[in-house]
Amino acid sequence: AKSAGGNRYELADPEADARVITRHGLTTALPAALDRGEFFIEYQPLVKLGDGSVRGAEALVRWLHPQHGVLGPDRFIPLAERTGLIVPLGRWVLEESVRQARAWQQRTAGSGPLRVNVNLSPCQLTHPGLVSDTVEILEEAGLEPDALCLEVTESALIGADDDLLKPLRRLAEMGVDIALDDFGTGYSNLANLRRLPVSVLKLDRSFTQGMQQFPADPVDLKIVEGIVSLAHSLDLAVTVEGVETGAQAEQLRLMGCDTAQGWYYARPGPPDRLHELALMDATG
Ligand code: C2E
Ligand code: CA
Ligand code: CA
Ligand code: CA
């Protein structure tokens, strides 16, 4: 009777079935997609709040699926993590982004070096090839390690032991910046921050969203102020994401945030647009 009940439920919910089928379809299509070159990267500018100059960009992966069109990372990164494809996919994103950053630097010579931020999945962190792959990719492209920032989510590092931190420490010693992504969502012990080899806190979008209403939520403002002063006292830079209005940008600048990212400046876009934006602000 139990299993019949289960069957009835599934039959009564064709939408859930469709989701399972789609999901399964995406899962089996993932590895071939990498071989066929169906992934591409959009870059979203990172802007220095002090003077509005473009400092670099975050690489955000997309999948141009032959049937479903462009799929955002939320649709396939979790699948890639479950199936292990995230390791070769993440390596491809790193390779492509590093090569792109080198190209920007060559084309914008003199206007200040452009840097690139790349997201790392927790599975990549525990993969033994992370350090050697990264070194090889940087060397092959001829990019300085300090033009690369690897973004790791706060939740991936909660309770991290030394084995997990070791590869990040080695990368940090080489000059690669490590950013703590989605900061403020993981309830991590703030004192723990000193133990982590990070140089940037990336404040989660939920904080900037709380500032969007007018007047801004005073509690959100106090929290952001507190995080910024804590970060600076630990020698960490603060990047804010999800900045959608000029008023937010000004508020965040006044609160001492260092770098901003969001639709107010630019949506994620093709690599050439980043290079144009950087040249534009170099020439005024
Ligand atoms: P994230 O690292 O927090 O990236 C920022 C997300 O916020 C991006 O979504 C970006 O398009 C979006 N965003 C930027 N500015 C604004 C804004 O002003 N307002 C709003 N509402 N949204 C904004 P996207 O591209 O869909 O990426 C989602 C997540 O997928 C990323 O979140 C990241 O965790 C993951 N992801 C993207 N690319 C990669 C990758 O190459 N590897 C891994 N492991 N994860 C990736
Ligand atoms: Ca990120
Ligand atoms: Ca550095
Ligand atoms: Ca984030």
Side-chain angles (χ1 to χ4, degrees):
K2 249 184 188 167
S3 70
N7 282 340
R8 236 188 348 259
Y9 175 76
E10 274 190 30
L11 290 172
D13 188 359
E15 249 182 57
D17 264 358
R19 276 198 300 274
V20 171
I21 291 162
T22 310
R23 185 169 277 207
H24 181 70
L26 289 182
T27 308
T28 51
L30 264 175
L34 189 57
D35 290 339
R36 289 199 209 105
E38 290 172 5
F39 293 101
F40 66 101
I41 301 174
E42 288 192 317
Y43 297 88
Q44 186 175 34
L46 287 152
V47 174
K48 195 174 169 185
L49 273 164
D51 61 8
S53 59
V54 175
R55 305 308 313 271
E58 177 174 7
L60 296 161
V61 68
R62 280 91 178 83
W63 178 6
L64 180 55
H65 189 282
Q67 278 92 46
H68 302 298
V70 175
L71 301 178
D74 294 335
R75 292 285 301 282
F76 61 86
I77 292 285
L79 295 177
E81 285 175 338
R82 248 177 285 144
T83 56
L85 189 83
I86 192 67
V87 171
L89 175 61
R91 192 186 192 283
W92 176 81
V93 172
L94 184 64
E95 206 168 354
E96 185 65 19
S97 308
V98 160
R99 197 193 53 71
Q100 188 56 62
R102 176 71 182 138
W104 288 332
Q105 295 203 343
Q106 285 169 324
R107 291 167 66 189
T108 55
S111 71
L114 287 173
R115 324 178 40 184
V116 74
N117 286 33
V118 178
N119 292 289
L120 274 195
S121 145
C123 316
Q124 291 173 273
L125 268 185
T126 51
H127 190 263
L130 177 66
V131 175
S132 55
D133 279 2
T134 306
V135 170
E136 191 187 306
I137 286 170
L138 286 168
E139 275 174 1
E140 241 161 56
L143 189 77
E144 296 298 326
D146 61 9
L148 174 65
C149 177
L150 295 175
E151 301 192 358
V152 184
T153 60
E154 186 187 13
S155 55
L157 293 188
I158 282 181
D161 59 10
D162 266 358
D163 284 346
L164 192 80
L165 294 179
K166 211 186 262 168
L168 286 183
R169 276 210 188 94
R170 287 196 35 212
L171 291 165
E173 280 160 15
M174 285 165 43
V176 173
D177 274 330
I178 311 292
L180 208 49
D181 204 357
D182 300 345
F183 185 77
T185 58
Y187 309 103
S188 68
N189 178 354
L190 292 181
N192 230 355
L193 276 178
R194 288 165 57 200
R195 204 168 71 83
L196 303 177
V198 300
S199 47
V200 180
L201 286 192
K202 228 174 150 178
L203 206 56
D204 190 67
R205 193 161 73 225
S206 52
F207 293 102
T208 15
Q209 261 159 7
M211 293 174 51
Q212 207 153 318
Q213 64 228 49
F214 186 83
D217 182 344
V219 175
D220 272 345
L221 293 184
K222 281 261 181 292
I223 292 175
V224 174
E225 259 168 11
I227 291 175
V228 171
S229 78
L230 172 89
H232 286 169
S233 73
L234 294 172
D235 252 339
L236 305 174
V238 178
T239 298
V240 282
E241 52 181 26
V243 178
E244 293 182 356
T245 69
Q248 276 179 324
E250 179 58 10
Q251 178 79 261
L252 290 160
R253 187 185 67 81
L254 290 172
M255 292 199 296
C257 296
D258 304 285
T259 310
Q261 178 181 356
W263 295 346
Y264 172 62
Y265 302 100
R267 302 231 174 190
D272 283 353
R273 234 221 357 213
L274 194 271
H275 150 256
E276 282 156 21
L277 287 171
L279 278 185
M280 232 156 59
D281 83 37
T283 54

